[in-house]
Amino acid sequence: DAGITQSPRHKVTETGTPVTLRCHQTENHRYMYWYRQDPGHGLRLIHYSYGVKDTDKGEVSDGYSVSRSKTEDFLLTLESATSSQTSVYFCAISESRNNEQFFGPGTRLTVL
Amino acid sequence: AQSVTQLDSQVPVFEEAPVELRCNYSSSVSVYLFWYVQYPNQGLQLLLKYLSGSTLVKGINGFEAEFNKSQTSFHLRKPSVHISDTAEYFCAVGPNSGTYKYIFGTGTRLKVLA
């Protein structure tokens, strides 16, 4: 299994609070991605990174920001959490642009 | 723009019967196609991938898929399913030139009945 972990695995927070999710990899892969998974929507890309300090927006980036200061860590921040951001968040990594992605175990976030 | 369509949101099938999960894609250039499986409360695992070469791709757990360029399809098949195959299956298309984004279908929930 690819060495990819997410923390925390579960979190309950209140509307309006900031939340940071962490993705950590030990594979030295260049590309990292944050997705959210919601029933009926499959996986939707929030942000991705193609190198240290190189990030870009996905299709559902509003309300989210990311940072990648070193190869192994990719942080996702919800600046002011809303109930619509209640979801399961997955991190993925990829060694090259067109090869398969490896997924972390997910973080279940509930915003009350 | 690329897109992926999984027409069946749920597929019930009896144990030891064959199954086909359908995936159609839209892409104007070369495609890289993937099938992933997700078991309850877990992340996604790669079942198989098509990058180039033979259009019939074999994956793990006895699954296979066929890339059909003329029909823009990449259907997943298994000749005989087991209870343990009950899971959600996602089709995805890899990035085109100039982008890094993978596009996922909305998933097909396979339920294997005893």
Side-chain angles (χ1 to χ4, degrees):
Chain A
D1 289 345
I4 176 169
T5 57
Q6 293 183 231
S7 58
R9 294 291 314 279
H10 302 270
K11 186 170 182 66
V12 179
T13 191
E14 294 188 350
T15 298
T17 59
V19 176
T20 296
L21 309 182
R22 181 186 185 226
C23 177
H24 179 77
Q25 61 146 328
T26 58
E27 305 296 321
N28 201 34
H29 284 356
R30 177 182 176 186
Y31 302 93
M32 299 186 76
Y33 304 79
W34 276 108
Y35 294 91
R36 59 177 290 173
Q37 184 178 28
D38 305 287
H41 291 277
L43 273 78
R44 293 181 292 174
L45 181 65
I46 305 172
H47 281 280
Y48 63 96
S49 170
Y50 48 96
V52 174
K53 298 192 189 304
D54 292 322
T55 64
D56 205 349
K57 296 178 180 180
E59 59 181 309
V60 290
S61 59
D62 287 349
Y64 301 95
S65 61
V66 290
S67 66
R68 192 172 178 197
S69 59
K70 45 187 178 177
T71 300
E72 56 266 37
D73 288 326
F74 192 33
L75 303 180
L76 176 71
T77 298
L78 287 65
E79 294 140 10
S80 177
T82 67
S83 58
S84 64
Q85 294 176 311
T86 291
S87 186
V88 180
Y89 291 85
F90 287 100
C91 176
I93 62 175
S94 179
E95 186 175 19
S96 59
R97 194 169 62 83
N98 285 321
N99 219 325
E100 70 262 33
Q101 295 179 306
F102 298 96
F103 285 81
T107 294
R108 185 174 296 275
L109 176 67
T110 302
V111 183
L112 302 176
Chain B
Q2 292 177 286
S3 65
V4 174
T5 302
Q6 292 182 248
L7 291 169
D8 305 305
S9 59
Q10 294 188 68
V11 173
V13 62
F14 285 104
E15 193 173 19
E16 297 184 8
V19 70
E20 178 180 84
L21 305 183
R22 297 180 293 168
C23 173
N24 288 89
Y25 67 90
S26 171
S27 178
S28 59
V29 293
S30 298
V31 291
Y32 307 92
L33 296 162
F34 309 87
W35 274 101
Y36 291 88
V37 60
Q38 184 181 33
Y39 299 104
N41 299 314
Q42 294 186 27
L44 280 71
Q45 303 172 32
L46 182 71
L47 269 180
L48 49 80
K49 62 184 177 183
Y50 171 80
L51 302 182
S52 65
S54 173
T55 57
L56 183 62
V57 180
K58 293 190 183 296
I60 63 171
N61 300 340
F63 283 94
E64 63 180 33
E66 186 159 16
F67 170 58
N68 188 318
K69 187 174 182 179
S70 62
Q71 297 187 9
T72 60
S73 67
F74 191 55
H75 300 333
L76 181 70
R77 302 185 182 100
K78 187 170 183 178
S80 176
V81 295
H82 303 288
I83 295 288
S84 59
D85 292 323
T86 294
E88 190 151 23
Y89 293 79
F90 291 93
C91 181
V93 60
N96 273 336
S97 173
T99 179
Y100 302 97
K101 301 177 184 178
Y102 294 74
I103 306 298
F104 284 81
T106 52
T108 297
R109 190 172 299 276
L110 175 64
K111 185 169 178 59
V112 181
L113 308 169

